[in-house]
Amino acid sequence: MRPAVLFLLALACAVGTLSAAPRSADAEESGPATFALIIGSNISVDSELPALKYADDDAARYLDLFRLLGARTYILSRLDDNTRRLHPQAAAEALEPRRASFERTMAQIGVDMAQAQERKLETVLYVVYAGHGGVENGVGYITLEDMRITGADLARFLAPVPATHIHVIADACASYFLAYSRGPGGQRRPLRGFQDTPQLANDRRIGLLLSTSSERESHEWDAFQAGVFSHEVRSGLYGAADADGDGKVSYREIAAFVARANEAIPNERFRPDVHIKAPAESDTLLDLRRGLGRRLDVDGAHAAHYWVEDERGVRLVDFHNAEGQSVHLVRPPPTGRVYLRKLDDDTEFTIPASPSVIELADLQEASPRVASRGAAHEAFGLIFALPFGRGVVDAYAEPLPGPDEPPMAVRLPHDAVTTPPSRSPVPTRSIVAWSAMGVGVAAIGAGAIFSVSAIGVSHGTAATASQQAVASRNDLISANNSRAAVAYTGGAVALGAGIAAFALWPSARSIQAFATPQGGYLGYSQPF
């Protein structure tokens, strides 16, 4: 009996050990058929906006992540030369981010997902966007190179897609307004259960992860070579946000993860707001279990701020686990070396290609391959300064909308210099229009005075006046008539300009000033 008892005890210990680790796809059902449409557009149809630098890099890295998790992916992005070298697969597959490619790709996604549905498979679609966004007349939109896509447009494209769940992830200024229009007076609608919000928010299949619940700027940073919000979201989706260790990242977990990553930044201009709305029937944003068979485990005894970088220098993941909080990260495919950098003491670990599951505790520390670059930006240097754990998720509460909205801005290049607009912008159109009309009225009044003066002179000379007096009178009349003509003409032009200012002044959204190594931009845009 003793060998049997020992065998049962060993079996029970083995089962307990396996249950404590994150479960991979081998231990679960095959899961849904997953599809991902990834859009990264550096250039906007709104030609006054400066070109971004890293929206194409964000698209390529999202492609790597979703492909790693087994998703069928579609990418719309115009990759620059550096991104093409770093991501040759994305370069081979990417279509240009323009209307024709977008509409054609949406049609193809519908066909592919219908085929999966015919085979009785549950289907999940991710729509991921990095680029410029904006708001016009209270309606939010994102942009391709030749097209604006409003929330209503996107909802119309998604309505016929036979997906069980759809997850929309957007890193763009004012992406909140894709789903939630402004209320009266240009203010954001308060969130009251979403029952009064239009467009994407009304589709129960759709979940939303948006970079801003206000109109705050959305930034890029050279250290990430990516959009800040996009990098943080990807870091969480690799597993760093899975606080409860169940192999899934929930909407609440990713929101708490991003908020915690930015909490140490003192200036709110550099802290992305995050807005979430899970689909009606599930809080899961991403199921990682299919990819966790190949992972890096960092136990809670090694809590610190780390980042993961591949041999090309692409920074894949940042995380800062709290004391006692374990992290399980999906690892990239074994196509090259991967490095784990610990910021606290500037040490580095080389992560070998095998075995499939690697424990940080088993790795040897080494000096970093390159010296620390120093703080490219003091504010962004504080990202991930605070540790993240399950307690952060439990305590997380989405910020409530404030009574006033910050001014409109755009997702900015890393090196852009901005002039923050006033919360109470001067009504420039009104000033220009009324000033021009006032000048016009004054000029016409002056012309009338000169005309009356000329008439008075013509009637004020006696018939017996000398030839010299008559000639002098005629010169004065001619001069007054000339002055009147000039005044009438100038007054008419000024009046016309004032009326045109009211009727034709372009609708834009803020004072914007950008200075970059490639040039500069100065513009005004405020609706009246």
Side-chain angles (χ1 to χ4, degrees), residues 9-266:
L9 287 173
L11 180 61
C13 290
V15 170
T17 301
L18 289 173
S19 64
R23 290 172 287 180
S24 67
D26 294 337
E28 301 289 336
E29 298 179 358
S30 59
T34 305
F35 303 79
L37 169 61
I38 301 161
I39 304 171
S41 186
N42 285 325
I43 299 173
S44 170
V45 67
D46 296 342
S47 58
E48 73 275 11
L49 299 179
L52 298 173
K53 191 172 181 179
Y54 297 124
D56 57 331
D57 295 84
D58 282 326
R61 295 183 199 182
Y62 270 120
L63 176 74
D64 292 342
L65 171 60
F66 282 104
R67 188 67 57 79
L68 186 62
L69 297 175
R72 182 161 187 172
T73 53
Y74 315 79
I75 180 171
L76 303 181
S77 188
R78 191 181 299 278
L79 276 60
D80 61 28
D81 290 341
N82 185 65
T83 307
R84 292 173 65 87
R85 287 191 296 269
L86 293 174
H87 303 277
Q89 189 61 39
E93 298 181 27
L95 302 176
E96 59 185 12
R98 299 178 68 86
R99 177 190 295 270
S101 299
F102 173 73
E103 293 179 346
R104 186 167 63 251
T105 302
M106 287 301 305
Q108 184 61 52
I109 290 172
V111 171
D112 295 342
M113 297 190 77
Q115 182 182 68
Q117 188 181 53
E118 289 173 0
R119 296 174 181 178
K120 310 301 182 184
L121 296 173
E122 182 181 350
T123 55
V124 176
L125 172 64
Y126 293 85
V127 178
V128 182
Y129 177 81
H132 279 299
V135 182
E136 185 169 70
N137 298 323
V139 177
Y141 61 87
I142 55 178
T143 66
L144 304 181
E145 291 180 354
D146 64 344
M147 178 186 185
R148 288 180 176 182
I149 302 174
T150 67
D153 294 331
L154 188 55
R156 175 169 52 85
F157 279 108
L158 294 176
V161 173
T164 308
H165 296 117
I166 300 173
H167 305 283
V168 177
I169 302 173
D171 181 5
C173 177
S175 59
Y176 175 93
F177 294 109
L178 277 175
Y180 308 108
S181 65
R182 295 175 188 267
Q187 299 300 318
R188 190 178 69 226
R189 293 179 185 272
L191 300 180
R192 296 192 181 96
F194 309 105
Q195 70 272 11
D196 59 348
T197 54
Q199 303 162 343
L200 294 177
N202 289 337
D203 191 329
R204 292 171 57 83
R205 303 172 302 157
I206 294 178
L208 303 170
L209 173 58
L210 308 177
S211 60
T212 50
S213 59
S214 67
E215 295 176 278
R216 204 169 288 171
E217 297 163 349
S218 184
H219 288 272
E220 298 180 322
W221 189 28
D222 263 347
F224 291 158
Q225 293 191 316
V228 171
F229 177 80
S230 289
H231 178 76
E232 293 168 351
V233 169
R234 281 192 305 273
S235 296
L237 296 183
Y238 267 98
D242 180 19
D244 60 8
D246 65 351
K248 302 176 184 179
V249 176
S250 69
Y251 275 84
R252 183 177 179 83
E253 284 176 327
I254 195 67
F257 179 81
V258 172
R260 184 64 165 177
N262 299 291
E263 191 173 325
I265 299 176

Side-chain angles (χ1 to χ4, degrees), residues 390-410:
R390 191 165 184 173
V392 175
V393 178
D394 293 340
Y396 176 75
E398 185 177 358
L400 294 175
D404 298 315
E405 293 303 325
M408 177 64 189
V410 294

